[in-house]
Structure formats: C-alpha cells, structure tokens
Amino acid sequence: MQKLTSIQKILKFFSLIKYNKKDYFLYFIQAFIRGAQPLIHVIFIEKIVFAITKQDIFLLEKTLYLYIFIIFSYELLWFLTRKFGWVITIPEADKNIYDMYLNKFIQMNNTEVEKIGIGKIIAILENGRFRWSESLADSIEKGMSLFILLSYVFYITFSHGIYYTIGFLSLLVLSVSILVVVNNYQFRYRRRRSEIRNNRLRLITKILMSKNEILQTDRISSEIEKIENYSKEMSQINLDMSNGRTIQNKIMSFFISISLFVFVSFFGRFVVSGDMTLSQFVGITSIFLVINSAISNFIVFYLNLTKEFIDIEKLWDFFENTSTLQGYDEGKKFKYKSGNIEIKNLTYSYYEGKNVFENFSLDIAGGKITALVGNSGSGKTTLVKLISGYIKANSGDIIIDGQKLSDISLKSYYNDIGYLTQEPSVFDGSVLENLTYAIDRKLKDGELDEVIKQANCEFIYDLQDSLETQIGEKGVRLSGGQKQRLAIAKIMLKNPKIIILDEPTSALDSFSEEQITKAMNNLFIGRTVIVIAHRLQTVRHADTIFVMEDSQVKESGTHEDLIKKGGIYAKMLELQSGF
Ligand SMILES: Nc1ncnc2c1ncn2[C@@H]1O[C@H](COP(=O)(O)OP(=O)(O)OP(=O)(O)O)[C@@H](O)[C@H]1O
Ligand SMILES: [Mg+2]
C-alpha cells in the first residue's frame, strides 16, 4: 500500500476540482465575494474614523452614504444571484466521485470484495464521498475569506515596513504550528472513533440483514448490548477528546490575547510618534479582530477536516489500492473460435495459506456440453468463477481458444459469455429492464414472448403490470425459482457463445426443471456450455461429466460411461434415485 505525503494528500484532495472546472470557478468567485464582506466593513470603519478625527462633517456624511450604498448593492447582488440561480451551493462533486469509484469497484478483484463485504464497502464509499465533497467546498470558502483578510493585513503591515510583515507572519506560523501539534496528539482518538463507528455500522447491518435469524434465536438484547459497549467506549473517547479540545482552545485564546497585546502596543507607539493616524490604528485593530474570528473559523474547519480526513483517506485507500480484475479494459480483444478451454497448473486461494486449487489442470471441449458435479465445497463454483474471469488465479493459466485469459481484455471476453451465478439476483427495475440488461440490440418481433415461454417465465404475465412490473428491493419480490427462470431467460436473450450455469435449476420443481432443460438444450446447440448441477438427472445428456471431490476431478465420461464404471457418480446416482 503506497503512503501519501501531506503535500500529495492536499493535492489529491483538491484534484477533484479538475473534473468540474466551471462550477468550481463560479464557486471560487462566490467565495471571494463572500470573503470580501468583512473587509468592506473594516475599510469603511477606517474611513469613518478618519473623517471624525479630521472633524470633517461633509466627508463623514459622504463616507456614510457610500457605505450604505455599497452594503445595499452587496446585498442586492446577493439577492439577484439567488433569484436568477447564478449561485452554486456546492459544486457537483458527488457525481465525479461515484464516476471514479463505481468504475473502480466494478473492475475490482472479487476475491477482495467478498473478503471485505458489501456493508463495509458501502460505509467507506458513502462516508468518504460525503466528507470529501463537503469539506472541499468548505475549504474553498473558509480558505478564501482567510486569504483575503491575510492579504489585506500583509498589505497594511508591508506599507509600514517589511519587518512588520515578517513579524506578523512569524506569529501566524507559530500559532498554526501549535495547532497542528496539539491536533496530531488527538489523532489516535479520532482513528479509534472512526473504527468504532464502522464496527457499529457493520453490526447494525448484520442485525438488519439477519432479522429472521435473530428473531428465532432471541438474540436482539445481546446484539444491542454490543452496541451499548461501543457507545460506552465512544463516550470515554469523546470525553478525552473534549479535554484535549479545551486545552487546544485555551492555548489558542491565550495566544490571541498575547498577540493582541503585542499588536496594540506596537501600533499604539506609531500613533503616539505620529507615524500612524488614529484612523489607521482603529482600522488595523478592527482588522485584527476580524482576522481573529477568521482564524478561529479556520481552526474549527481545520479540526473538522483532519477529523474527516480519516474517512476520505479510507475511501482513497480502499478504492485505489484494492487490486482490480486483471485487464478489464486493456489487453487483446478476445476472439471466439471453437470454445476450447484449457486449464493448466492452476493454483488459487481465497485466503493466504489455504489453496482451493493446487496445480489443477483440465481440458473442456469447445462446442460441447460439459457438466461439473460433485459434493458441496468440492470447488465447482470456484472453478467457473476462475474460468469466467470473475476471480483471478494465483498462478497457472486458463487458455480459451489459444488465448490466455490473463492476456485478453475481460470486457471483450464478457461479450461472448453468459454466466448464471449460483445465487442469481434481480435488481431494482422493471421485469423488462432486468431481462434486457445484457443486450443492446433491438428485439425482434415476438422474440421476447418466445424466450419467456421457453424459460418457463409465463408468471410474468400474471404480475400486476406484466413486463413493466417493478421488481427488486423496492418492488414485487420474486421467489427463488422465479429469479432463476428470469436469469435463464436473460441468457437465452443474450445467446452468448460460452454459457456457464451454476445450478441453474436448483430452486425449481422437477416438472419446471424438465421443461426448461428441454428448452435449454435448443439454446446449447453449437455453444460451449459448462453446467453445474447437484441433481444428476439434469446433466445426463452432457457430452462430458466431470466428477469433482476435494478440488480434484476424480472421474469423467458420459452418463452411461460413469454408470458403467460404478464409481462415485454411480453411487451418487443411486443415492438420488434410491427411494
Ligand atoms: N468467498 C469465499 N471465501 C473463502 N472461501 C471460499 C469462498 N467461496 C468458497 N470458498 C471455499 O472454497 C471451497 C470451494 O467452494 P465452492 O463454492 O467452489 O464449492 P462448490 O463445489 O461450488 O460447492 P456447492 O456445491 O456447495 O456450491 C470451499 O472449501 C469453500 O469453503
Ligand atoms: Mg457452488
């Protein structure tokens, strides 16, 4: 994992601007106008005091009118920008963050995604995105107002001599350094607090997602107790942090009092010696007070930012350092020829230290139906995940029609693949959207109805709005078997060259299964098919059946060959039909 220096972090933090230059430019201008407001007051106070000390009533009136006019115009400008929508509240950075990171997520190595878990990934993405885009806008605004005021102070001090500028600068650097040192001390508390927050979110996700489990075991009070423990630790940390913050504030206010003293005595002497007018003195003192409030604002912002940076860094760290599926976009374009798949000396592990496959080799004939059977946990799903490029082998090769999977772009490969996973899911959207998600051609007349019939999906017509019915989390819930049939229909519509089905009919009754199997046999003609099944009847027509056990192929042949052989397959078949 690469570690960023502070400068790199700052640059990265602001790099978001380059994706949305126009909006950020407008935002800068807006922040400039807002930031200049205190300066207007300061300048006018100085002018008014000047007129008073001169006892020039005419100048005083002129200045007051001008003051009112400027304040009024300023507010009017503000009103108009709002009224005509010229205002940019916060530049639209969310879209850019999602754009960057959802793309990364889609191409992310699935082994790592499964290891971390979707709940945690959601927390990292949403916290990080929110903090980044909010604090970027905030830092532009606060930074701008501080910048304007500081520039003015530099100008004033500089016009009295460079030494005063240097003096002022040293005070500023000193105060910022104190702040940073004290703040770093608080850092470990923040890290722990963010950790607790995330753990608590995971626990809550677990409760929400395992409602039925918890209901049956009456575990809710013990789960809530865990939340309470987190809360207790959180309170302790909050107390420690609040003590730290008090010290921080005391140091700062002491420091401000001292600098006010230095400031007033320095410039007071100028007034006495006649080097400075009283009006300049009042002006510069009011600027000190404004600067003081700007700095306090900035301190609050800085403290918040460093707190929030933990979430932002987590976002960067996760999305930019997690490995991606190799060559999703890059690599040679895949060309399907006959669909021969050679697996050579493959080694794969989900976790370090425990290999699922070790030096595994297997040839799968193109244009034929190959079945994988074998007991649960024998590695069938892992094998097809590897073949479909969904996970990446530690070593060894998967070669399809002479092209190494590691050399080709997965994107081009996926054009020719239809992979029905063991737990097919539907997404929030209409039935039609779900069905046609994988294809971007126009459907032929009657094509959809034909596929719906073949995949035994006529239940769709009985849904509230037929094909337009909303399904998924927000809509009608489908049964396990209905989801499977829909997934089969999707593959039929896509009609890819290589078809991989992980227990496509496991949730279906025998009658539907038989009907679909017949329809699928039509789809399979001239295709390279790998099908996993527990019910052996489903795969009895396969050209080759591989029987797996402990991540190894123990037997292979046709249904008849294997029965004749009288080995594991024959035994399994006997158990399944023996009643
Ligand atoms: N995401 C994962 N993380 C860690 N280990 C996993 C993961 N998925 C599977 N395994 C392990 O890999 C081995 C092979 O699992 P796999 O899912 O390939 O078996 P399978 O033959 O498909 O089983 P089933 O018939 O139950 O679907 C098992 O020991 C399993 O515990
Ligand atoms: Mg499986």
Side-chain angles (χ1 to χ4, degrees), residues 344-357:
K344 281 192 178 157
N345 307 325
L346 190 88
T347 299
Y348 177 75
S349 62
Y350 285 104
Y351 292 105
E352 247 171 75
K354 186 181 173 280
N355 286 344
V356 178
F357 288 109

Side-chain angles (χ1 to χ4, degrees), residues 119-383:
K120 191 163 176 198
I121 297 175
I122 293 174
I124 293 174
L125 178 65
E126 284 307 273
N127 288 338
R129 173 197 58 79
F130 174 72
R131 305 281 187 216
W132 192 1
S133 108
E134 292 272 310
S135 33
L136 178 59
D138 218 25
S139 58
I140 291 173
E141 200 173 323
K142 301 278 191 324
M144 193 56 104
S145 90
L146 196 66
F147 171 76
I148 293 171
L149 291 170
L150 287 181
S151 312
Y152 191 63
V153 174
F154 280 135
Y155 165 71
I156 298 265
T157 50
F158 195 72
S159 62
H160 283 92
I162 180 89
Y163 294 114
Y164 301 113
T165 314
I166 295 171
F168 175 72
L169 210 63
S170 326
L171 276 180
L172 198 71
V173 169
L174 191 65
S175 63
V176 170
S177 315
I178 295 176
L179 183 72
V180 170
V181 170
V182 180
N183 194 46
N184 278 351
Y185 180 74
Q186 299 252 56
F187 203 71
R188 63 201 163 102
Y189 290 124
R190 300 229 173 89
R191 202 162 268 291
R192 180 66 196 139
R193 208 160 67 156
S194 157
E195 238 171 63
I196 295 177
R197 246 198 328 229
N198 280 336
N199 288 345
R200 200 167 50 182
L201 191 63
R202 271 165 87 186
L203 186 59
I204 291 166
T205 312
K206 173 185 150 196
I207 296 173
L208 294 178
M209 287 175 72
S210 341
K211 178 178 180 295
N212 289 337
E213 191 93 357
I214 294 173
L215 184 72
Q216 284 174 36
T217 47
D218 196 17
R219 275 274 155 77
I220 190 66
S221 46
S222 69
E223 296 291 3
I224 289 177
E225 206 171 296
K226 279 187 217 156
I227 296 181
E228 209 175 300
N229 289 340
Y230 283 138
S231 303
K232 270 187 202 147
E233 195 184 344
M234 198 75 138
S235 313
Q236 185 55 47
I237 291 176
N238 284 341
L239 183 68
D240 292 343
M241 283 184 76
S242 147
N243 288 340
R245 245 192 325 268
T246 311
I247 295 173
Q248 223 162 12
N249 289 340
K250 287 292 162 218
I251 291 176
M252 284 319 286
S253 67
F254 177 71
F255 190 75
I256 285 167
S257 311
I258 292 288
S259 36
L260 183 61
F261 172 78
V262 172
F263 198 89
V264 174
S265 48
F266 245 69
F267 287 99
R269 280 163 191 268
F270 287 140
V271 179
V272 174
S273 67
D275 285 338
M276 189 185 250
T277 64
L278 189 60
S279 61
Q280 279 174 326
F281 178 76
V282 173
I284 209 163
T285 312
S286 52
I287 252 219
F288 179 86
L289 298 172
V290 174
I291 281 265
N292 188 6
S293 82
I295 290 185
S296 321
N297 261 344
F298 202 81
I299 288 172
V300 173
F301 161 73
Y302 172 77
L303 295 181
N304 282 337
L305 182 66
T306 47
K307 191 165 63 191
E308 285 161 4
F309 230 81
I310 295 175
D311 285 329
I312 300 175
E313 280 184 278
K314 244 187 225 155
L315 177 80
W316 294 346
D317 187 34
F318 174 71
F319 282 94
E320 293 177 22
N321 293 331
T322 306
S323 62
T324 51
L325 289 172
Q326 194 178 332
Y328 178 77
D329 255 334
E330 305 107 41
K332 292 183 209 141
K333 201 168 177 306
F334 173 70
K335 279 199 196 69
Y336 181 89
K337 290 168 205 152
S338 53
N340 287 319
I341 302 172
E342 295 165 73
I343 299 168
K344 281 192 178 157
N345 307 325
L346 190 88
T347 299
Y348 177 75
S349 62
Y350 285 104
Y351 292 105
E352 247 171 75
K354 186 181 173 280
N355 286 344
V356 178
F357 288 109
E358 227 172 285
N359 256 325
F360 179 89
S361 298
L362 188 70
D363 282 348
I364 294 174
K368 297 265 163 39
I369 302 175
T370 301
L372 297 177
V373 303
N375 51 14
S376 177
S378 57
K380 303 179 298 293
T381 298
T382 309
L383 187 61

Side-chain angles (χ1 to χ4, degrees), residues 375-382 384 422-423 502-503 532 534:
N375 51 14
S376 177
S378 57
K380 303 179 298 293
T381 298
T382 309
V384 294
Q422 195 163 1
E423 287 122 16
D502 195 346
E503 302 202 33
I532 298 176
H534 274 294

